[in-house]
Amino acid sequence: MIPDVARRYGVEESLVHAVVAAESNYNAHAVSHAGAVGLMQVMPATAADYGVSSADALFDPETNLRTGTRHLKRLLNKYKNDYGRVIMAYNAGEGVVDRTNSQVTYLETLNYTEAVINNYRRQGGTAPTQTALKQVRALRGVRNPGQARRLMKKYLDPSLLSLKVKPTLDVRLLNPALHDVGPESRPMFELDARASR
């Protein structure tokens, strides 16, 4: 089925094979912990964008291949055939790739991208991928605390952070209805300086 579906949507057969091998190892019944389904581990929400409204339908190999390949084709068009970005976006999502300007440092995505590119080459893929491999290896080096802090400051929504706090009042007074209001009142919580280092 892969050659027919790849030809139908104008995606290199080698790329489809590489993604299927990395995603499910050709297991049409595979389900990820995140809920991705089938040969190409398509998320039901992504499948809905392509008219597949039932997660059960994704267990059908042909439906799954068509949906995943159409998604690959859309990513190839969006990222102008930059295979590194396409593969990262297939794994981590377009939002992450766009938000980080393709500087995705998720270890899972870096491993995935490298595995797909290597498999793509073994399958006879001919698109230039050397730059993408160099980028993946460079991003592995970025995975250090200083760089992580800079990336967090630049790209992370502060509302997603969890902070260690300690109550400043008696536990009984942590009920807002019992808390005094006014200039003399104390804050209900404050940052625990020892825990945030």
Side-chain angles (χ1 to χ4, degrees):
M1 285 185 280
I2 290 177
D4 292 340
V5 171
R7 193 168 34 255
R8 178 176 177 183
Y9 294 109
V11 175
E12 259 189 289
E13 181 183 334
S14 309
L15 180 60
V16 178
H17 270 292
V19 169
V20 169
E23 290 287 354
S24 70
N25 198 26
Y26 297 89
N27 178 359
H29 301 288
V31 179
S32 78
H33 65 277
V37 177
L39 290 171
M40 296 186 78
Q41 291 290 277
V42 179
M43 292 295 286
T46 301
D49 291 343
Y50 299 96
V52 179
S53 57
S54 162
D56 290 340
L58 292 171
F59 287 107
D60 173 60
E62 188 173 353
T63 300
N64 194 286
L65 284 171
R66 279 198 326 263
T67 307
T69 304
R70 286 177 68 195
H71 188 54
L72 273 176
K73 179 63 175 182
R74 194 177 77 64
L75 294 173
L76 286 162
N77 289 337
K78 177 177 180 173
Y79 296 114
K80 298 177 178 33
N81 293 322
D82 179 337
Y83 277 42
R85 293 175 80 190
V86 167
I87 294 165
M88 281 183 173
Y90 194 91
N91 178 261
E94 297 166 70
V96 173
V97 171
D98 296 344
R99 200 168 44 251
T100 63
N101 194 27
S102 304
Q103 301 297 302
V104 180
T105 57
Y106 301 154
L107 188 57
E108 176 192 333
T109 300
L110 297 175
N111 291 341
Y112 174 86
T113 303
E114 188 167 15
V116 171
I117 289 172
N118 288 334
N119 200 336
Y120 167 75
R121 289 172 152 185
R122 281 193 297 277
Q123 295 281 344
T126 57
T129 53
Q130 194 58 39
T131 302
L133 279 178
K134 284 181 184 172
Q135 179 187 13
V136 165
R137 291 174 185 142
L139 287 170
R140 282 186 201 284
V142 166
R143 294 182 55 79
N144 65 60
Q147 180 68 21
R149 277 192 295 276
R150 285 192 294 282
L151 286 173
M152 280 176 57
K153 185 175 179 185
K154 187 171 182 181
Y155 298 112
L156 186 65
D157 178 354
S159 68
L160 300 176
L161 294 173
S162 64
L163 301 172
K164 299 273 187 183
V165 294
K166 64 179 181 181
T168 60
L169 304 171
D170 181 51
V171 174
R172 179 182 64 77
L173 294 175
L174 292 179
N175 179 343
L178 301 175
H179 185 64
D180 291 331
V181 180
E184 302 298 320
S185 67
R186 294 178 57 204
M188 291 178 69
F189 295 95
E190 64 184 26
L191 286 176
D192 185 345
R194 293 166 305 184
S196 40
R197 285 188 188 136

